[in-house]
Amino acid sequence: MKLKKFAFPTAFTILFAITVIVVGLTWIIPAGEYQRLSYNSAEPSLVVAKIDGSHEVLPATQATLNDLNVSIEINKFTDGTIKKPIAIPGTYERVAQQPKGIMDITESMVKGTIEGADVIVFILVLGGLIGVVNQTGAFNAGLTALANRTKGKEFLVVFGVTIILSIGGTSCGIEEEAVAFYPILVPIFLILGYDAIVCVGAIFLASSMGAGFSTVNPFSVVIASNASGISFIEGIGFRTIGLVIGTLGVLVYLYWYCKKIKKDPTFSYNYENAESFKQRFLSNYDPNEILEFSWRRKVILCLFVAAFPIMVWGVMDMGWWFPQMAALFLAIAIIIIFLSGLKEKTAIDGFIHGASELVGVSLIIGLARGVNLVMEQGKIADTILEFMSHIVAGMPPSLFLLAQLVVFICLGFIVPSSSGLAVLAMPIMAPLADAVGVPRYMVVSAYNWGQYIMLFLAPTGLVLATLQMLDISYNKWLKFIMPMVIFMFVLSATLLLVQVAFL
């Protein structure tokens, strides 16, 4: 009897299984909470959310923070630097167990999708914009022109994209926004002779490595430093060294992989899906069909490309988030429709088709958020943090920092949001450094490096949405990414130990 070949589960099945496991954990892990502190700008005042559901209003002064053992400057609250409620050290209490049931499995999936509506709309509008541009023939004409100009120098494109995305990650924390770059860059990489894995490497891996070794990223290292009561400038030298070495590591790894698949396409980790992948992203591209790269198509492509630096500028300087980014892409799509001369029905059909291509990606994001909802409602995340804080307390400096790195790798799975993990964990973990005799900025480094090591692997983060978009199974991704996970862990541990040695 011939055995059927094992098919690795899809992203949807993986997330469903994780949701079931987390629901089970709410019956096993004791429920508990920290009191939370937030700033009310309307009064102004500091508000302590008690575990019993009541609220205590306190004066917005440094003395109040000192009384609460919160080592943060009051201006970090009043100027809006810290927006989310932070955990108050020493306030953890056990609460009544709140186990989730069978109905919570599917309900959390639905609620997570609703909660992720802003990201989902952004992705669907992005898909619609791509569909409109495809209808104009601008992609096809542009790709033909690019293929003719990059023969023999293909890796320079990968090199350039990797450097730009790494800088974007370290400076402004490009993560979910990176999804917007796949539709424009994936066809280019395919024309250059590369595969889906190279696309993820140059975009997701590079941006995540940059964010992992953040220098001035406001969504991770800056907010973590503020929540630790220090300036983000502290420790920036070692973070910069890590950024340079980490980015070089990505480039060397991608160069090795690109050289391998250029020599033998069957070496590709995703070779069995190569044709379907090309059909998906190059369905309108025919190398034998020479479309005129007219001024109209050039303008359309320029408008399409311009949307991305405008998006980055809006996030960094204007405080944009997904609704504003979606509105930008929708505006560009409308302008292109009028400029293209397409018939109204043709343009709308293109928009709808493009959006439909990314429905699966959108749902993955919603399901991943559902897992986090179960942990929040089951009140087990704070218990895990309290447990881990006791594990690392009182260790020798070197062992303390290595333990912190491992702790934040684990916490990165439980709280995949960099800003969310910062305001939850740093007020608890950073003061432990004082007792051990190491500067708090080293704990900030351990937080940043640890959570991003997990980001490469965690199904609760962005990775499954990325793989769904590019039709890569999770096991193929693990095969590709594990050498970089080990590399980043060794690099992070080495940098932490070197910092201790310089004390």
Side-chain angles (χ1 to χ4, degrees):
M1 181 179 176
K2 189 176 179 180
L3 296 175
K4 290 185 178 180
K5 185 179 177 182
F6 173 73
F8 199 83
T10 65
F12 290 93
T13 303
I14 292 171
L15 282 173
F16 177 79
I18 291 174
T19 305
V20 173
I21 291 170
V22 172
V23 166
L25 290 177
T26 63
W27 290 79
I28 301 170
I29 298 176
E33 283 187 282
Y34 289 99
Q35 293 180 14
R36 295 295 202 274
L37 179 67
S38 59
Y39 177 68
N40 181 5
S41 58
E43 300 255 331
S45 60
L46 292 171
V47 180
V48 176
K50 303 275 188 171
I51 294 172
D52 62 8
S54 63
H55 292 80
E56 182 180 4
V57 179
L58 300 171
T61 64
Q62 192 65 50
T64 300
L65 293 177
N66 294 339
D67 290 340
L68 293 171
N69 294 318
V70 175
S71 303
I72 304 174
E73 295 177 4
I74 187 63
N75 66 289
K76 299 300 182 185
F77 289 92
T78 57
D79 65 9
T81 302
I82 296 179
K83 298 182 175 67
K84 296 182 178 181
I86 69 163
I88 301 176
T91 61
Y92 174 83
E93 290 182 27
R94 288 282 303 275
V95 298
Q97 203 70 17
Q98 301 192 31
K100 303 283 102 178
I102 293 177
M103 283 301 297
D104 291 298
I105 296 173
T106 51
E107 188 174 331
S108 68
M109 292 177 167
V110 174
K111 287 183 176 178
T113 304
I114 294 171
E115 201 171 89
D118 54 349
V119 186
I120 291 172
V121 171
F122 165 72
I123 290 173
L124 294 178
V125 172
L126 169 64
L129 169 60
I130 294 162
V132 170
V133 176
N134 267 329
Q135 289 283 33
T136 67
F139 272 144
N140 198 345
L143 289 173
T144 302
L146 179 69
N148 293 332
R149 293 187 180 185
T150 56
K151 287 182 179 177
K153 298 177 284 188
E154 293 88 353
F155 190 75
L156 285 177
V157 178
V158 178
F159 179 90
V161 170
T162 300
I163 295 295
I164 291 171
L165 267 297
S166 179
I167 292 172
T170 194
S171 60
C172 61
I174 290 178
E175 291 180 51
E176 287 97 339
E177 301 92 331
V179 172
F181 291 93
Y182 290 105
I184 185 174
L185 292 174
V186 167
I188 293 174
F189 287 141
L190 291 179
I191 293 298
L192 297 178
Y194 299 130
D195 67 354
I197 296 284
V198 177
C199 303
V200 186
I203 300 173
F204 178 76
L205 175 57
S207 63
S208 298
M209 186 66 75
F213 289 100
S214 293
T215 50
V216 295
N217 176 6
F219 305 109
S220 61
V221 73
V222 173
I223 194 170
S225 297
N226 290 331
S228 302
I230 62 174
S231 167
F232 73 90
I233 298 299
E234 296 182 49
I236 195 172
F238 276 96
R239 297 200 302 270
T240 302
I241 292 171
L243 172 67
V244 173
I245 298 174
T247 303
L248 285 174
V250 173
L251 286 170
V252 169
Y253 189 51
L254 288 178
Y255 180 76
W256 168 81
Y257 184 80
C258 289
K259 194 172 181 180
K260 283 283 190 180
I261 62 175
K262 276 287 190 178
K263 185 178 180 180
D264 178 15
T266 62
F267 179 82
S268 168
Y269 295 164
N270 207 46
Y271 181 72
E272 62 189 48
N273 295 328
E275 286 307 313
S276 63
F277 186 64
K278 288 180 181 178
Q279 286 285 333
R280 181 175 175 184
F281 280 92
L282 295 176
S283 58
N284 296 322
Y285 177 71
D286 182 357
N288 299 316
E289 180 186 6
I290 307 300
L291 288 178
E292 180 190 0
F293 201 20
S294 62
W295 69 266
R296 191 193 299 266
R297 289 185 172 128
K298 289 178 181 177
V299 171
I300 288 171
L301 276 186
C302 286
L303 283 170
F304 179 72
V305 172
F308 298 93
I310 293 173
M311 176 190 73
V312 174
W313 165 78
V315 171
M316 293 183 65
D317 293 342
M318 302 299 293
W320 286 6
W321 204 231
F322 290 105
Q324 291 80 14
M325 290 188 284
L328 167 68
F329 287 144
L330 182 58
I332 297 291
I334 293 170
I335 293 170
I336 288 175
I337 288 173
F338 281 107
L339 179 65
S340 67
L342 292 172
K343 293 182 179 179
E344 181 266 345
K345 187 177 187 309
T346 302
I348 298 303
D349 285 347
F351 189 94
I352 293 172
H353 177 74
S356 69
E357 290 284 305
L358 297 184
V359 168
V361 178
S362 303
L363 291 176
I364 289 294
I365 290 174
L367 297 183
R369 291 199 175 193
V371 176
N372 302 131
L373 279 177
V374 172
M375 285 189 281
E376 289 174 11
Q377 294 171 358
K379 300 189 183 302
I380 61 175
D382 285 12
T383 299
I384 295 171
L385 174 59
E386 175 72 3
F387 172 73
M388 290 185 171
S389 69
H390 285 296
I391 289 178
V392 301
M395 288 181 172
S398 296
L399 185 58
F400 170 78
L401 288 174
L402 292 180
Q404 286 277 13
L405 181 64
V406 174
V407 163
F408 281 112
I409 290 173
C410 298
L411 292 177
F413 179 89
I414 298 167
V415 187
S417 164
S418 57
S419 59
L421 181 57
V423 297
L424 170 65
M426 298 316 294
I428 309 300
M429 290 297 191
L432 299 178
D434 301 339
V436 176
V438 298
R440 293 188 178 192
Y441 71 78
M442 294 185 185
V443 178
V444 172
S445 294
Y447 141 83
N448 210 47
W449 301 340
Q451 68 152 350
Y452 274 93
I453 290 172
M454 177 53 72
L455 179 71
F456 292 136
L457 304 172
T460 51
L462 192 62
V463 64
L464 285 187
T466 300
L467 300 181
Q468 175 71 25
M469 176 177 279
L470 302 185
D471 196 23
I472 302 172
S473 64
Y474 188 62
N475 60 323
K476 301 290 179 59
W477 170 249
L478 290 179
K479 182 179 179 181
F480 174 78
I481 200 61
M482 282 312 297
M484 293 307 298
V485 170
I486 295 169
F487 165 75
M488 189 171 179
F489 179 84
V490 172
L491 175 58
S492 301
T494 302
L495 288 173
L496 288 172
L497 294 176
V498 169
Q499 288 183 80
V500 172
F502 275 94
L503 288 177

